[in-house]
Each structure stands twice: as structure tokens, then as C-alpha cells.
Amino acid sequence: MKSSRFRVAALAAALLAVTQVHPALAAPGDPGEPRYSAGASSLDDPYFPDQGNGGYDVQDYDVTFAYDPATKIMNATTVITALATQDMDQFNLDFQGPEITSLKVGKHPADFTRSGQELVVTPRPKVKSGQTFTVTVSYEGTPPVITDPDGSIEGWVPTDDGVFVPGEPQGAPSWMPVNDSPADKATFTFRATVPEGITVVGNGRLLSQTTEDAKTTFVWRSAEPMATYLATVTLGNFVVTESTTPSGIPVYTAVDPRLVTQSATAVARIPDILEYFSTIFGPYPFNQAGAIIDRAPNVGYALESQTKPIFSSAPSVSTMAHELAHQWYGDSVTLSKWSDIWLNEGFATYATWLWTEHSGGATAQATFNSSSNYGRAATSSFWQILLADPGPEDMFSNIPYNRGAMTLHALRGKIGDTAFFKLIKDWAADHQYGNATTADFIKAAEKISGQNLTSFFDVWLFQKGKPTTW
Ligand code: ARG
Ligand code: ZN
């Protein structure tokens, strides 16, 4: 799903297409032949060149699956509804999952080939620009664990009582065919059937939970657009608690029974954190909030899965605050390319500094000054990674987090509190459910502050080394 401007362009192209002369009647050598071509197999993100595909824009994913933790076998059918943005005789999806047993475009079985994460589909009939079409993919087997450039794991990660399902930056294709680009957001429905006693927690709202013949089916719906890397269907033994914040946001928490005591403090602060962030960032962007606290020791990190951040162990209050802040910065406003990861991690880290100060801990200024931040010696290797382009191995290192947060704190000092807090609130509002870039942020900061910030951002983002003046 892209901006409405994009959709208007696609419609205009479709209208043009119908007024064109039918190819069979076209004069020999008529330009524009052949009309149909293959959608691009990549969106050329240098960090993950296999990610994303061109030629269409996904509107909705409907993922139905049965899974048994005992056999680790998934039996799934995913229906993708997409809008074609060009006339296509071939297109790609990103998929690393198990064996495909059937694939249809619309009602018609389609030929396909697989290589790495590219699933290449040949639709017959071909797909016209402006057409909304469906792709129905059925598959069966065990989804793989994906290893990232930094060595961490994601995708479909079995735990001792279920599966932990993180997807950043490239885990979603492990278990569903997707257009795996952060820039192609869509709505999602998950319909998951598991042995009775297991809980499946997906993004968005729980529409229904029904048990029949010792199996329970959970239907989760993410009604707001979501990037594929933020999808989860984490499942296992969970203690579920449902509540509502003072301002009316429903909160669904699922906690591994072994972690209930250790997680209690962080879980109890969810409403306070959401209320505080709503005052400084603007209204909470989704119709559901919550958290999934699981035991996945081999994962070892938390992730801001939309509406349901997932934690691989009992979180601290500040980790909880970090993942909740991402709901505004990362999930609702999402980067467009991975080199801009500081827009996600720097914002969430700075939000945690603000929360810490708000809740009676160190001031943001003190955190900025500390030895994990600006207090690091200028000779430290910490300063030798470029914030604007840390590279895939270091995209989740402390550079995007700490130098990113320092950049925001320094910007606040430079433009003043009024402009700074207006900037971050407007950033969340102006790009809600969309995508944005570092260039967009610089432009917004200059506009709101009325200052030329070229040298400020140059020193903090585009140059290595410890900034000394800005
Ligand atoms: N975005 C997550 C967070 O900051 C971290 C994800 C780490 N993923 C990874 N593959 N290393 O909360
Ligand atoms: Zn983060």
C-alpha cells in the first residue's frame, strides 16, 4: 500500500492502458511493444538486495495456517491482494518457507520457480496495470530460522513451548510469501490453528478465538497498514491479560508463565508509558497495544512488532519503553531504506531517555553526557561508524541507537525545546502509516526551526568521528 498519490498514478496508467490500441491491431513497429514485462525482482536496497519486488503494491495479506509445536509442521495458505502498477507477465514474491503445494493467481493455477528467497510467478492470464489481483499460495513443512548479517536469528524460531517470530530485517519470508520491503505496507489477517492450550499472538486485534476438537483457532487482524518485518504470530504457553489504558487503548499482554514475576514491573508500566508518549509524540497510532514476553534465549533481543512488541526474555522498564516508542517511530512512521535505521533506533532510544527523566531517573542531558554516550573518548571505535550508513552488520549495533539518540538530543539543544517537540510530533503525524527518509527529516527540522542545519547534520550523521562543535 503506497501513498494515495501513487494509487492515483496507477489508476491513470490503467485508464491509459484501456484506451491503447489492442496489440494485435497495432501497426508493425508500433512503440510500446511488447506491453507486458516482468516486475522487478529487487527494490535495490543495498543492505538486502533480495528484498522487495516491483510491479505491484500489496494491499492485504490473509494468512491461514495450522501449526503443531510437537511436529513443527506448518500447513498454510496465504492470500495476497495486490494492485498491479505495470502490465506484468511475471512477478516475484519473497519466500523462504517450506514446499509450495499450490499457487494461483486469481482463480488460475500459475507456474512458478524458486531460487533463494525469490519466488518467481508467471500469471496466466497476464496482469494489467491498475488491476487488483490475488495470489494464493499453499505450503507445508517447517519454516526456516533466518540468520542476519550481525549473526542474530529471526524468522520462525522454535522455543521449548512454541515459536518466537521476529521479522526484522528479513524474517517474514520464512513463514509467508511477501513483498518484503519496509516501503510496501499492507493490512494483515492471521488465522492460526494450534493444539488447545497454546496461545497464538498476532498483530492488531483478536477478532475471535474458538476451540473445537482440541484445537484452537485465533484470528488476528492488523487493520492499520504494517511493514512485513513487523509481523508476528508468536505462539506458546502464555498467561494473557487484557486491560485498557486510561485514555481507552486496549492492551493485550501475553507472558510466558515462567516470566510473569520477573516481567511484572515492566508490564505494569505499559499504560503510563503509552500515556506519556501520547503527550509528547501525539496519539498512539494503533487500535491495539500490548506485549509478548517469551523465553527465546537463543534470540536475545526484543523487537517492536506492530501493536505487540516481542521480548525474548523478561524486559526492563526501559526496554519496554523502547519498544513502545517504536510504535510511533519505526512502526507507524517507517524507514524507506535500511541505511536510515537511526530513524527507528535513534528515536526509540531517545524516547527512552525522555521516559527515564519523566519517571524520575537520570535527565536526558545526563544520559547524553554518560560514558555510554557522549562521554566516550574521541579515540573510541564507537565513533568510527557512519550513522547515516552503518552497514548491515552494524545496523543494530549501538551506533544507530546511541549516536542516533545523541543526534536528537543535540538537535534539541540546537533548535530549542519548542521547535524540537513540534518536529517530532509533526513527524509522527505527517508520516503516519507511511515511510520517510533522513532527507525528509532534515527538511522538516529546517522548516520548523527556520535554521540552516546542513553543518549540524553533516557532523552528526554524515561524518565519522566524535562531533565537537555543531
Ligand atoms: N529493532 C529491534 C529493537 O531495537 C532490534 C532488532 C534486532 N534484530 C537483529 N536482527 N539483530 O528493539
Ligand atoms: Zn529499537
Side-chain angles (χ1 to χ4, degrees):
M1 202 181 286
K2 301 226 175 76
S3 68
S4 50
R5 200 167 1 111
F6 190 90
R7 250 173 272 143
V8 169
L11 278 178
L15 285 174
L16 263 179
V18 275
T19 59
Q20 266 170 15
V21 182
H22 188 276
L25 304 176
D30 199 12
E33 288 297 314
R35 209 155 62 98
Y36 291 87
S37 57
S41 61
S42 166
L43 293 178
D44 298 322
D45 189 299
Y47 288 23
F48 299 97
D50 293 340
Q51 271 193 344
N53 306 289
Y56 63 91
D57 178 7
V58 178
Q59 312 293 303
D60 182 70
Y61 295 92
D62 195 311
V63 185
T64 303
F65 69 87
Y67 184 79
D68 185 348
T71 60
K72 296 193 170 63
I73 300 290
M74 170 187 267
N75 207 309
T77 296
T78 292
V79 182
I80 299 165
T81 304
L83 174 68
T85 54
Q86 70 181 61
D87 293 335
M88 291 190 294
D89 52 12
Q90 184 183 301
F91 61 86
N92 284 30
L93 287 162
D94 300 303
F95 188 51
Q96 306 251 41
E99 190 188 346
I100 294 176
T101 52
S102 119
L103 192 153
K104 287 181 185 167
V105 177
K107 294 191 191 79
H108 308 279
D111 285 343
F112 62 89
T113 58
R114 297 181 69 172
S115 136
Q117 79 166 37
E118 299 304 325
L119 167 57
V120 185
V121 180
T122 309
R124 290 294 178 269
K126 300 169 189 177
V127 178
K128 282 193 169 53
S129 183
Q131 186 185 332
T132 298
F133 63 104
T134 59
V135 188
T136 304
V137 187
S138 298
Y139 43 102
E140 186 171 354
T142 303
V145 175
I146 310 283
T147 301
D148 291 326
D150 66 3
S152 58
I153 55 171
E154 55 161 324
W156 195 260
V157 183
T159 58
D160 58 6
D161 63 9
V163 190
F164 189 74
V165 188
E168 187 189 27
Q170 50 168 359
S174 156
W175 55 280
M176 56 179 174
V178 286
N179 188 26
D180 197 30
S181 162
D184 191 0
K185 296 189 180 189
T187 53
F188 284 76
T189 304
F190 301 110
R191 307 166 199 274
T193 302
V194 289
E196 185 176 3
I198 302 280
T199 300
V200 184
V201 193
N203 311 93
R205 275 202 182 160
L206 181 61
L207 298 188
S208 65
Q209 175 177 339
T210 47
T211 300
E212 211 178 299
D213 297 335
K215 289 188 188 321
T216 306
T217 299
F218 295 81
V219 180
W220 288 96
R221 170 80 181 157
S222 174
E224 298 96 359
M226 176 168 80
T228 49
Y229 78 87
L230 297 169
T232 193
V233 286
T234 291
L235 58 103
N237 294 327
F238 287 114
V239 176
V240 171
T241 309
E242 291 185 77
S243 62
T244 307
T245 66
S247 66
I249 307 160
V251 180
Y252 182 108
T253 58
V255 182
D256 186 297
R258 296 162 292 186
L259 302 177
V260 169
T261 310
Q262 280 168 271
S263 307
T265 308
V267 169
R269 299 313 292 272
I270 292 174
D272 294 346
I273 296 168
L274 291 174
E275 297 297 308
Y276 172 60
F277 285 164
S278 300
T279 66
I280 57 173
F281 304 152
Y284 179 75
F286 305 115
N287 68 7
Q288 177 74 51
I292 306 170
I293 300 172
D294 201 357
R295 229 183 74 154
N298 47 348
V299 173
Y301 60 82
L303 172 61
E304 63 269 24
S305 305
Q306 191 158 302
T307 73
K308 304 286 181 344
I310 54 173
F311 303 85
S312 61
S313 61
S316 63
V317 176
S318 59
T319 301
M320 180 61 76
H322 179 105
E323 305 310 337
L324 293 178
H326 270 307
Q327 302 303 310
W328 283 260
Y329 305 112
D331 295 11
S332 175
V333 183
T334 306
L335 44 65
S336 310
K337 54 181 189 343
W338 289 110
S339 55
D340 282 345
I341 188 69
W342 83 278
L343 289 175
N344 287 11
E345 302 307 344
F347 274 67
T349 303
Y350 192 56
T352 308
W353 296 8
L354 295 174
W355 161 260
T356 300
E357 175 168 343
H358 171 79
S359 58
T363 61
Q365 183 62 46
T367 308
F368 177 93
N369 292 342
S370 83
S371 59
S372 3
N373 294 308
Y374 197 69
R376 285 174 194 268
T379 50
S380 162
S381 60
F382 171 87
W383 301 107
Q384 290 314 313
I385 292 169
L386 201 57
L387 183 54
D389 189 9
E393 290 88 6
D394 284 319
M395 62 186 288
F396 299 111
S397 71
N398 54 11
I399 304 310
Y401 292 73
N402 296 48
R403 187 171 177 144
M406 278 187 261
T407 301
L408 291 173
H409 189 72
L411 178 64
R412 178 179 164 192
K414 177 92 180 165
I415 67 178
D417 278 10
T418 308
F420 178 79
F421 284 102
K422 177 169 168 40
L423 171 64
I424 59 172
K425 213 178 220 181
D426 285 4
W427 184 247
D430 293 349
H431 301 284
Q432 187 171 60
Y433 310 139
N435 296 90
T437 63
T438 295
D440 296 329
F441 185 70
I442 294 173
K443 207 191 285 171
E446 291 193 327
K447 186 154 181 239
I448 288 171
S449 67
Q451 294 184 31
N452 179 334
L453 298 169
T454 308
S455 58
F456 174 89
F457 284 113
D458 189 49
V459 162
W460 277 100
L461 288 173
F462 301 109
Q463 283 189 41
K464 293 181 185 172
K466 180 174 177 174
T468 49
T469 50
W470 55 84

